[in-house]
Amino acid sequence: MNKKDIRKGIIPYVVLIVIMLAVIYFFNVLNVKVNELTYDKFVASLNNNEVKEITIVPSIDEGIYDISGQLKDYSEKESFHVQVPLSEEVMKYIATANEKYDFEINTKGDPNGSMWIVVILNFLPLIIIGVLMFFIVSKQVGGNNKSFDFGKSRAKLDDSQKKVTFNEVAGLKEEKEELKELIDFLKNPKKFQKLGARIPKGVLLVGPPGTGKTLLARAVAGEANVPFYYISGSDFVELFVGVGASRVRDMFRQAKHNAPCLIFIDEIDAVGRQRGTGLGGGHDEREQTLNQLLTEMDGFGANEGIIIIAATNRADVLDPALLRPGRFDRQVTVNLPDVKAREEILEVHARNKILDKNVTLSNLAKRTPGFSGADLENLLNEAALLAVRRNKDAITMSEVDEATDRVLMGPAKKSKKYTDEEKRMEKRLVSYHEAGHVVLGLKLNSANIVQKVTIIPRSYAGGYAMMVPKEEKYTQTKRELLEQITGLLGGRVSEELNFGEITTGAHNDFEKATKIARAMVTEYGMSDLGPVQLEHQSEGVFLGRDYNKSRNFSDIVAHEIDEEIRKIVGECYQKATEILKANADLVKLIANALLERETLTKEQIEYLVEHKELPEDTTFEDMTLDELKDLAKDKNIKGYSKLSKDELIRLLEANDIEPTDATDLKDEEKEEK
């Protein structure tokens, strides 16, 4: 903690102490009772021995003494005050009474000095408090504090030295082509104005989270080399009604001074939701902010040279007035990347990482369908962290596989080891469950193939099979959907056939299968109910997901829908049963392999199906000393040449190097020869 922070922490306590002292002082002053006595009453008190003490002070007025003190019957906070003539007779009279009754006498000279003491004692605390309050208020108003700048725009100007360009944006070829027109307009607006063309005032980027909408907006600003303001939709809305509208006006005022420029509003659904909807009615602050934004974008005033780019993953909740031509004229959908786009994204994120020569990004892209750009970046980052944790010099496929599993299902629960008793029960059951998925993936042409299967617990699952489609397509046939459902039911069918018992392990499989079957009946028209759409998303966007589906059918049709769903799932279950009964030996073979290895890859499964056994594992003990040294040399391990065989084995195991790497090394030597 620096000195500045320490001072900031002490100041509030100092102010509190001063205020408490001032309150105590004024409390004591207010509680003191002063009685004004006449000269005759004062003399009578002297004669009757009623005076306890007196203080004599020359008054500012000439010829008068100010005498104050206490009488014997006064309380502690009670005193008297009297003015007497300035004469020797009076002083002699007081001295005579003092000799007779022996009370205390105090004298003070310099009445002007007394006056200054009174002024200081009475007004100094007020002055100190005033100075402190002025200091605190000035610090709040000035500096970096924004407590009084309610109506100022929260939009920040991107002044970073490193500009993002389209080279850093991978996998969005069509989206970049759409936005290049904006860049041309910002660089050369006269070319468009010459033919009377009007560039879109707003571009809305719509897509799932993590697909690169914000990165795309930054790249547009970097390519155009114009001022780039960025703000979040939630920065407009405040507690006080009207503040958001004021911030919108101030944001456009700043943008006009720097036109041509770009304004990027992230998560615009926070301020651009439909007006007057929801169970609780409208929201005055948000609606006023939205009204001001609509006016600024396309109202009576003209905002030439200002282009707004907004991003959201909930375009269905936006107000229709915001999406009309003249405001957000153009919508650019940023979808999840396909296999080619995923490979390009991986190449961008792998630029600053050291990958082993066995890591092929094209194969990794094929194994990650449904991953967004953010997911792929996270995957490579997790792989790098694992490589550092294992003290490796490069990221190998072992780290990539583990990172993929961590992103999908979370870290492996290695502490949840199976005992010998559990191996005969739970582990065996999980193995047969996953083997059912594998066999159906192999035997059905359109079912999802199993890329990897494991019985190591992760998250809430005792094991899982990574199932990916054989090829990515925009449309699917009825047969493909039915075979996907059949593949999902393979785990439960395998449990029932081999153990005569069922478990809760298939609940996620049933969830996915039922969702596909319901969509076939109510949305795709792939049932005996005919080619009709019975359910669709309604416009009540604030009623919640469960209330959001419009049911334009009777209770009789609802019963028929349920019957059709049960019929589809039942037929697929029966088909899965027939296939697994016919391939019982293959199920048993794969289940036993899982019990032995715990994890099988697609290549190992294919080898097992062809040769009816797994390839033999190479161990370090089977290798010669020269082979161990060659392997250590290939893996860039220092100090290997003078080590014994046992020392080399311990070193290779500490670096998490697999003995199978030596086989790859021999194959490379053969190719070189």
Side-chain angles (χ1 to χ4, degrees), residues 643-664:
L643 298 179
S644 64
K645 182 176 181 178
D646 292 337
E647 290 172 336
L648 271 173
I649 291 175
R650 286 195 295 270
L651 182 62
L652 292 169
E653 289 176 345
N655 284 272
D656 198 25
I657 294 174
E658 299 292 337
T660 52
D661 293 339
T663 305
D664 298 334

Side-chain angles (χ1 to χ4, degrees), residues 54-112:
I54 61 173
T55 301
I56 304 172
V57 180
S59 177
I60 298 175
D61 298 332
E62 295 182 0
I64 295 177
Y65 278 117
D66 282 322
I67 298 178
S68 60
Q70 283 187 317
L71 301 182
K72 291 182 177 180
D73 58 348
Y74 279 7
S75 63
E76 185 178 352
K77 294 186 178 181
E78 189 176 4
S79 63
F80 68 84
H81 175 261
V82 64
Q83 288 187 332
V84 299
L86 179 59
S87 63
E88 293 182 3
E89 182 180 353
V90 174
M91 299 304 297
K92 185 177 179 181
Y93 191 79
I94 294 173
T96 302
N98 183 39
E99 291 177 0
K100 185 177 180 179
Y101 300 115
D102 192 21
F103 55 83
E104 184 178 352
I105 298 178
N106 299 314
T107 59
K108 292 183 180 180
D110 191 6
N112 293 324

Side-chain angles (χ1 to χ4, degrees), residues 345-588:
I345 294 171
L346 287 169
E347 289 175 355
V348 170
H349 293 303
R351 289 175 182 172
N352 61 340
K353 294 176 175 63
I354 302 175
L355 299 178
D356 189 78
K357 57 186 177 182
N358 294 326
V359 178
T360 307
L361 296 181
S362 59
N363 292 336
L364 182 57
K366 295 176 183 177
R367 297 172 55 184
T368 52
F371 276 50
S372 66
D375 291 331
L376 295 172
E377 190 276 334
N378 188 35
L379 188 151
L380 288 181
N381 185 62
E382 286 287 343
L385 292 174
L386 287 169
V388 173
R389 195 179 303 168
R390 296 172 178 178
N391 297 318
K392 290 190 175 182
D393 296 328
I395 302 171
T396 66
M397 279 304 299
S398 174
E399 285 76 44
V400 173
D401 286 338
E402 176 65 19
T404 306
D405 295 340
R406 290 171 71 93
V407 171
L408 288 174
M409 299 290 293
K413 295 184 178 180
K414 296 181 180 179
S415 60
K416 191 177 179 180
K417 294 292 185 181
Y418 290 102
T419 63
D420 293 338
E421 181 66 23
E422 289 173 333
K423 284 183 180 179
R424 290 193 295 269
M425 298 297 294
E426 184 177 357
K427 189 176 180 182
R428 189 163 177 264
L429 191 145
V430 174
S431 299
Y432 273 90
H433 177 104
E434 302 301 340
H437 290 303
V438 174
V439 172
L440 289 176
L442 293 171
K443 297 301 178 181
L444 295 173
N445 292 328
S446 301
N448 290 341
I449 59 174
V450 177
Q451 187 73 36
K452 177 182 178 181
V453 60
T454 179
I455 57 174
I456 298 175
R458 288 181 184 270
S459 185
Y460 296 103
Y464 87 100
M466 183 191 295
M467 305 171 70
V468 298
K470 291 184 178 179
E471 56 178 323
E472 297 179 46
K473 299 190 295 184
Y474 289 100
T475 58
Q476 291 179 299
T477 64
K478 181 179 179 180
R479 177 188 172 187
E480 290 171 343
L481 293 174
L482 290 174
E483 292 191 353
Q484 285 183 22
I485 296 174
T486 306
L488 289 167
L489 299 175
R492 167 59 67 85
V493 173
S494 181
E495 291 177 9
E496 192 172 6
L497 291 177
N498 293 281
F499 296 93
E501 187 63 81
I502 56 177
T503 68
T504 60
H507 73 282
N508 186 251
D509 299 332
F510 291 157
E511 180 183 353
K512 295 177 181 177
T514 306
K515 185 177 180 181
I516 296 172
R518 187 170 191 86
M520 290 176 64
V521 176
T522 62
E523 297 181 35
Y524 306 148
M526 295 180 177
S527 70
D528 293 340
L529 295 181
V532 292
Q533 189 180 53
L534 299 171
E535 289 182 351
H536 61 87
Q537 296 291 327
S538 67
E539 295 182 356
V541 294
F542 294 102
L543 296 178
R545 299 286 183 187
D546 296 335
Y547 299 96
N548 205 16
K549 284 192 174 182
S550 175
R551 294 184 53 184
N552 298 321
F553 47 83
S554 64
D555 293 338
I556 297 176
V557 176
H559 176 71
E560 292 177 353
I561 291 173
D562 295 337
E563 290 294 328
E564 286 294 322
I565 293 173
R566 278 196 290 268
K567 178 182 175 183
I568 291 174
V569 176
E571 291 176 353
C572 292
Y573 194 91
Q574 182 63 33
K575 185 176 181 180
T577 303
E578 295 172 359
I579 294 174
L580 292 184
K581 280 184 177 180
N583 296 274
D585 293 339
L586 183 58
V587 173
K588 184 178 180 180

Side-chain angles (χ1 to χ4, degrees), residues 580-600:
L580 292 184
K581 280 184 177 180
N583 296 274
D585 293 339
L586 183 58
V587 173
K588 184 178 180 180
L589 179 66
I590 295 175
N592 290 333
L594 278 172
L595 285 170
E596 179 185 347
R597 296 287 182 90
E598 291 192 335
T599 300
L600 295 176

Side-chain angles (χ1 to χ4, degrees), residues 169-172 175 205-216 312-313 332-337 345 370-375:
V169 183
L172 298 174
E175 290 81 356
L205 304 179
V206 183
T211 49
K213 299 184 292 295
T214 304
L215 181 65
L216 197 58
T312 182
N313 52 15
V332 178
T333 302
V334 186
N335 287 319
L336 292 172
I345 294 171
F371 276 50
S372 66
D375 291 331

